[in-house]
Amino acid sequence: MGNRQNVSLWMETSTKKSYPKLQRHMSVDAAVIGGGLAGITVAYLLKRQGLSTCVLEAREIGGGVTGNTTAKITAQHGLKLDSLIKKNGLKAAKQYAEVNSQAIGFMEKLALSLNIDCDFKRTFSCIITEDVARTQDILKEAEAAQRLGIEAEYYHRPSFEATRNADIKAAVKFFNQAQFHPLKYLYGVAEGFHDGTSCNIYEGTRATDIEKGKVNKVITEEGLVISAKYVVVATHFPFFDKRNLYFTKLYPERSYVMSFIAEEGFSEGMYKTAEEGFSLRTHALEDGRQLILLAGGYHRTGSGCYMMKNYLDLEKTAQRLFTVKESLWKWSAQDYSTPDGLPYAGQIACAMPNVFVMTGFDKWGMTNSTAAAMVISDFISSGYSPYLAAYNPLRPLKSFASFFTYLGKNIATMGRLIGGRLSRLPSKAIVKKGEARLINMKGVRTGVYRDEEGKVHVVKAVCSHMGCQLKFNDAEKTWDCPCHGSRYDLEGKVIEAPTKKALTRIEKGNFLD
Ligand code: FES
C-alpha cells in the first residue's frame, strides 16, 4: 500500500461494489449520465422524490475527479468570494456562499442518515499567505465572507501549528467546515441509491448522444436507448452540449497531490495559500498514523513541458514545511473553471428544458457538486431553486472582467490551434525507454512513446476534438490537449472529454533511429 504514483489514497483505501453494464433498452423518469459525486448525489435526490432513476457511468463510479480530489468540504474556496461579488454582484455571490455552506450540512446529515463511515470531520479552513503583497487580498476576503454571512476571522502574522515553518503574513479562518474520505462517502450514497428495481447504476455504459423529445432519449455506445423525461449530464466536462459551446467557457486545469508521514505532524485544520502555492489537510490512516496531503502545481492542462516537475516541486515544499519521514501516494486531478467563477447547474439549453448540466466546479467540487445536485433536484421537483440565478448555465456574463477572461482564454486557444499546425518537427527520432517524442511522419504529427519494457506506442498527436497539437504528460504518461483539456492514454483511448473520439493509432514504421 502507498508509495505509488497516479493512484490516489482514496482509491486504495476504500472498497467498491461493482454495478452491471446496461444490457437492454429501458424507460425511467430520470437518467443521470456520470457516476461522480455530482451524478450520484443528484440521482439519490431524485430517488427521494419518488422518480425512477438510472445512473449511466462510462467506466466505474468515482473513477474520475471524485477519486482524485483532496476532499475538503468547505465554503472557503481560496480568494473567491471577494472576486465573485466584484464579477457577479452581491446577490449571486450570496447565493453561491449560502448553497455551498448548506452543502456541508447536507453531506454530514446524509452520511449520518445512510450510516456511511466516511471519516467525516468538522474542522476549520484557512487561507494563508507568505507574500506580504497579498495581505490586503486576505483582508478583503475576510470582509467579503462576513458580508455574505460566513463566520470568518482575519489574522495578522498568525502562527498556526501546521505551517510553523512557513512565514505567514496573514490568514483568514472559516469555522465549522469539514473533510472526509470522498470514495467511502460516494460508495455509501451509491448503495443508498441503487435498489435493483426502480433505481439502478450501470457501469461500463457510455452515453454518446441525447435526442430531444417530450420524452428525451439517451443513446449509448452500443445503441441502447434510455427513454427519460429528465436527463442530467454530470460528466465533469459535458459530453453533450446542444451547440452551447461549453468548451469555450470551461477552462481545464491540472493539479497534483502528494501524501506523506512527517516527524512532527499537526493537529487539525485545512489550509490553502492565497498565491499559487499549496493546499494542506490531514487524513488518519487505519493503522493510526497521520497522513499529510499537500496539493499544488496548478497549471492549464497540456501547458508546460515537464509535468514531473510539479511532483518534484511539491516534494520540495513538503521538505520546507515538514520533516518528511515517508512519502506515500501521489496523484493528480483535472478541474474546470468558468469565466465568472460560478459553476453551471441547470438547463443545458433553452431548446432542451428537461436536460440539465452540472459542471465548472473549479477546484471545489465537493461542496459545489453537492450544491449543483440540490439546485437541479429542486428545479425538477418544483421548477424553482433559490440558487438558480447564480448557477444558471445560460446566464450572461455580468462584468468586463469575466468577458475579458472569456475572450483572452479563447484567443489563446485559437493561437494554439494555429501555432500547433505550423511548428516543424523532425522526420526521425531516437526515443529512449520512458521517453516521448513528436515527429513529422509524412505530414502527420505523430507522438511516439517507448515504455520501460521497450514497447513503442505511436499515435497521431492531433486532438480529435478540434485539431490542437497534443503534448505528452510525462507524469501520467498521457497525451493532453492544451485547448480544451481532452486527454488520451498511450493507445489513444479517451480519458477526458470534450473529445469523444480516440486518436488514430499508427503502426511503428522506420521513423526510429
Ligand atoms: Fe478541443 Fe483538444 S480538446 S481541440
Side-chain angles (χ1 to χ4, degrees), residues 13-145:
T13 56
S14 55
T15 310
K16 185 189 157 297
K17 230 172 116 172
S18 287
Y19 295 95
K21 186 178 166 84
L22 183 67
Q23 304 285 0
R24 60 184 172 87
H25 302 306
M26 66 185 300
S27 187
V28 284
D29 294 323
V32 176
I33 305 166
L37 189 57
I40 295 292
T41 307
V42 77
Y44 180 82
L45 289 173
L46 296 176
K47 177 185 180 175
R48 242 172 36 179
Q49 288 183 34
L51 301 184
S52 61
T53 304
C54 69
V55 174
L56 309 175
E57 165 54 49
R59 290 175 285 180
E60 293 191 330
I61 62 165
V65 73
T66 305
N68 290 294
T69 170
T70 51
K72 293 176 171 178
I73 310 174
T74 170
Q76 180 270 293
H77 295 171
L79 294 179
K80 181 119 181 172
L81 300 178
D82 184 52
S83 153
L84 284 183
I85 294 173
K86 285 181 183 137
K87 284 184 172 176
N88 303 286
L90 191 62
K91 192 174 158 200
K94 224 173 195 155
Q95 289 185 4
Y96 179 90
E98 200 175 303
V99 71
N100 272 281
S101 298
Q102 278 185 16
I104 304 171
F106 171 88
M107 294 170 87
E108 185 173 32
K109 276 194 203 136
L110 189 58
L112 270 175
S113 69
L114 293 176
N115 205 14
I116 305 171
D117 181 6
C118 60
D119 312 319
F120 189 99
K121 181 181 165 189
R122 286 279 184 174
T123 186
F124 61 82
S125 183
C126 270
I127 312 171
I128 54 177
T129 184
E130 295 182 274
D131 179 357
V132 74
R134 304 304 293 263
T135 54
Q136 277 307 307
D137 297 336
I138 296 267
L139 184 58
K140 280 188 204 153
E141 191 67 11
E143 287 166 359

Side-chain angles (χ1 to χ4, degrees), residues 247 413 417 463-468 470 481-488 497-499:
F247 63 83
T413 296
L417 275 163
C463 184
S464 61
H465 178 230
M466 287 177 68
C468 267
L470 299 177
C481 180
C483 286
H484 313 113
S486 291
R487 297 177 61 236
Y488 308 84
T499 190

Side-chain angles (χ1 to χ4, degrees), residues 44 61 203 251 275 335 338 380 386 402 423 433-434 447 466 474 497:
Y44 180 82
I61 62 165
E203 292 184 319
Y251 313 127
E275 50 277 13
D335 295 285
T338 64
I380 287 175
S402 305
S423 63
K433 283 184 183 177
M466 287 177 68
D474 61 332

